[in-house]
Amino acid sequence: MLCARVTGRHRDGGVLKALNQLIVRTLPLVPKPIVRRIASRYVAGETLEEALRVVQRLNAEGCMATLDVLGEDVTRREETEQTVTDYLRALTAIAERGLDSNISVKLTALGLKLDAAQCRRQFARIVEAARAHGNFVRIDMEDSSVTEETIRIFLEFRERYEKVGLVLQAYLHRSAADARRVAAAGPVNVRVCKGIYVEPPEIAFQDREQIRRSYMELVESLLAGGAYVGIATHDPPLVERSVAAVRRLALPAHAYEFQMLLGVAGDLRRKLVADGHRLRVYVPYGAAWYAYSVRRLKENPSMAGHVLAGIFRPERKAASKGKS
Ligand code: FDA
């Protein structure tokens, strides 16, 4: 009963918020199989084959995709080898099946925090494979300890291959300056997101409206400067303001794209596609699903209900995979 009441449209937002916060704090105690089941909507599966099936379905719905091999913050250099192999396989399969998908890569999965030189070598292998297939590689942005090095690596590789892109996070104070810096490199492809990692107030906005303002300043300045922008948000006011911005700038549909995460905001996604906007869905897959799934669950406003439903009604699926 409690599960049913908190999963849906509960009238008492305060209670729900407090319950969500409580569940966020206790999430590490929730057994992994339960986390896996309730977070399954956010992850395409463990194998490339499962991910390709999701991409195929999204393409049929008029969406583009970006494949992410799950994994980050590796602690052993050998682990980076498997990540590279997985990305090379993904690029080959995308090309062989004629799918509309690029790839998104986390540099800490290639050992950025262990050995920046080796990370560059591993990333170079992925970029060379993408070049051979004419495909595009997005570098995801991780926590602030690697922001500067990530931007440097982007700028280095952008000189060698045009189809490499970056992500800027609206919550970081530095992002406005970073946007100017990367735009100076020529025509760039930048995904703008709010930012998901917990960062201190000395370097990151904490206020929701402030983050929204920063988000729109980034989107508008990058678009006005001629960058191709991946507008990555499910926040309806930001989507509305971004649509207004591209109209104001009279941009054609191929000059930008919206981006959303698998399993999130399906209705908004379908509406944008129906209205003629390009839209790309971020499709993560692989065995290292836990850290990513926990981040997504924490952002889900109905998380408390899903977690309680998962614990007390284990026989029922709390959410269906990729259906959103
Ligand atoms: P917000 O979190 O306010 O969500 C708006 C609404 O969307 C919510 O009210 C809810 O309805 C719905 N929603 C959002 N998340 C949900 C969830 N998990 N489950 C159910 N509903 C949900 N971050 C980063 O630091 N580095 C990166 O490289 C990326 N890459 C990236 C790629 C893409 C394609 C997207 C869409 C996002 C990212 N992010 C990211 C994550 C991003 O920084 C941010 O944390 C999330 O997009 C959530 O922010 P929103 O703008 O959607 O707003």
Side-chain angles (χ1 to χ4, degrees):
M1 181 63 177
L2 176 63
C3 308
R5 288 178 59 195
V6 294
T7 306
R9 284 158 240 114
H10 197 284
R11 282 197 208 122
D12 190 345
V15 173
L16 183 53
K17 204 169 166 199
L19 195 56
N20 265 333
Q21 281 165 357
L22 179 70
I23 300 269
V24 164
R25 282 199 293 275
T26 51
L27 208 49
L29 304 175
V30 176
K32 277 196 174 181
I34 291 177
V35 174
R36 185 184 171 133
R37 192 171 57 244
I38 56 183
S40 65
R41 64 191 278 194
Y42 302 121
V43 175
E46 292 214 359
T47 66
L48 174 60
E49 200 49 50
E50 287 170 289
L52 294 171
R53 274 202 294 274
V54 171
V55 171
Q56 200 165 20
R57 179 173 58 73
L58 289 165
N59 285 176
E61 290 173 15
C63 299
M64 306 172 290
T66 184
L67 276 182
D68 166 50
V69 176
L70 286 166
E72 57 204 272
D73 267 340
V74 295
T75 51
R76 290 178 302 115
R77 283 167 208 209
E78 307 80 79
E79 290 174 70
T80 67
E81 200 52 41
Q82 186 59 49
T83 305
V84 173
T85 305
D86 288 344
Y87 274 114
L88 301 190
R89 283 199 189 122
L91 285 164
T92 303
I94 289 168
E96 281 175 356
R97 299 185 194 198
L99 294 172
D100 191 346
S101 179
N102 59 38
I103 57 171
S104 290
V105 178
K106 286 188 174 52
L107 293 179
T108 68
L110 302 178
L112 182 59
K113 289 184 183 172
L114 298 177
D115 178 347
Q118 198 212 1
C119 171
R120 281 173 167 80
R121 284 193 294 277
Q122 296 290 55
F123 185 56
R125 292 171 59 199
I126 294 174
V127 171
E128 282 316 309
R131 186 205 295 271
H133 293 295
N135 208 336
F136 173 90
V137 183
R138 170 88 53 198
I139 307 175
D140 282 343
M141 186 57 85
E142 302 178 70
D143 69 77
S144 59
S145 69
V146 292
T147 307
E148 182 56 31
E149 194 62 4
T150 301
I151 293 174
R152 283 198 195 135
I153 291 175
F154 162 72
L155 290 170
E156 286 164 30
F157 280 83
R158 171 64 187 67
E159 265 187 28
R160 288 151 59 174
Y161 184 50
E162 216 177 83
K163 291 181 167 183
V164 175
L166 183 71
V167 178
L168 291 177
Q169 297 156 319
Y171 64 5
L172 287 189
H173 300 165
R174 59 176 288 165
S175 289
D178 288 334
R180 288 191 290 276
R181 179 176 163 205
V182 299
V188 280
N189 185 322
V190 181
R191 174 195 296 155
V192 179
C193 67
K194 285 183 180 171
I196 179 67
Y197 303 89
V198 179
E199 302 288 2
E202 293 74 34
I203 61 163
F205 303 117
Q206 311 289 320
D207 176 70
R208 195 176 163 79
E209 276 310 315
Q210 176 77 65
I211 295 170
R212 280 185 173 142
R213 272 198 298 280
S214 165
Y215 191 100
M216 285 315 302
E217 281 162 18
L218 285 172
V219 167
E220 289 181 17
S221 66
L222 284 162
L223 285 173
Y228 183 93
V229 182
I231 305 165
T233 182
H234 321 92
D235 193 2
L238 286 184
V239 169
E240 243 173 66
R241 290 172 211 173
S242 299
V243 168
V246 298
R247 288 213 181 110
R248 217 171 28 249
L249 292 163
L251 292 176
H254 62 262
Y256 64 93
E257 67 188 42
F258 284 92
Q259 298 187 352
M260 297 196 179
L261 301 170
L262 185 68
V264 181
D267 289 343
L268 185 54
R269 181 179 88 208
R270 282 182 282 276
K271 179 168 186 333
L272 283 167
V273 172
D275 289 349
H277 300 284
R278 282 156 65 85
L279 194 142
R280 188 177 304 277
V281 179
Y282 190 94
V283 179
Y285 72 97
W289 51 268
Y290 185 76
Y292 178 87
S293 300
V294 167
R295 285 204 292 274
R296 295 286 80 83
L297 280 176
K298 286 181 177 175
E299 281 185 324
N300 187 330
S302 314
M303 180 189 67
H306 289 311
V307 172
L308 291 172
I311 292 171
F312 293 116
R313 286 192 277 131
E315 76 283 0
R316 282 189 54 179
K317 281 199 169 173
S320 56
K321 184 189 301 180
K323 279 282 185 264
S324 179

